[in-house]
């Protein structure tokens, strides 16, 4: 698990900055997996509130900022793990680094 943690890279702007919040919201709202990550992190807001956050009309409170950050990093970890599984599977051929005798 620690090896995957070292492979996870993401947004360096803090979640409480405009840029950091916008980047996290965009990442989380572009897929069903992002919404699932927000659900796991207990980000439970109305669609209207989420749209206001995306439009930068409103800012989440500190608790929701922390939850959004947790959801973002959870999704990043899951995406790295999924990518590694696909690379190792290699369409059923296994990893591509085997020697050919």
């Amino acid at each position: 698990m620690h090896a995957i943690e070292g492979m996870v890279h993401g947004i360096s702007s803090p979640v409480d900055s405009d840029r950091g919040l916008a980047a996290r919201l965009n990442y989380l709202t572009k897929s069903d997996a992002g919404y699932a990550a927000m659900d796991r992190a207990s980000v439970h807001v109305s669609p209207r509130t989420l749209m206001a956050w995306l439009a930068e009309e409103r800012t989440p409170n500190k608790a929701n900022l922390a939850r959004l950050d947790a959801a973002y990093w959870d999704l990043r970890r899951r995406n790295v793990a999924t990518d590694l599984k696909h690379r190792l599977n290699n369409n059923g051929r296994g990893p591509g680094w085997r020697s050919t005798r």
Side-chain angles (χ1 to χ4, degrees), residues 77-92:
R77 278 189 295 278
R78 287 172 184 267
N79 285 345
V80 166
T82 299
D83 183 57
L84 286 173
K85 286 179 195 174
H86 287 143
R87 288 176 189 233
L88 290 172
N89 183 29
N90 195 18
N91 294 321

Side-chain angles (χ1 to χ4, degrees), residues 34-82:
Y35 286 97
M38 287 191 287
D39 190 51
R40 284 189 301 275
S42 298
V43 179
H44 302 295
V45 296
S46 69
R48 183 178 179 173
T49 297
L50 185 57
M51 293 305 291
W53 290 350
L54 285 163
E56 298 179 6
E57 295 169 354
R58 291 173 50 193
T59 303
N61 61 30
K62 283 189 175 195
N64 278 328
L65 284 173
R67 290 180 189 121
L68 287 167
D69 194 46
Y72 170 77
W73 289 108
D74 172 55
L75 184 58
R76 292 293 299 152
R77 278 189 295 278
R78 287 172 184 267
N79 285 345
V80 166
T82 299

Side-chain angles (χ1 to χ4, degrees), residues 4-15:
I4 289 178
E5 287 293 326
M7 299 173 82
V8 177
H9 301 286
I11 301 162
S12 60
S13 299
V15 69

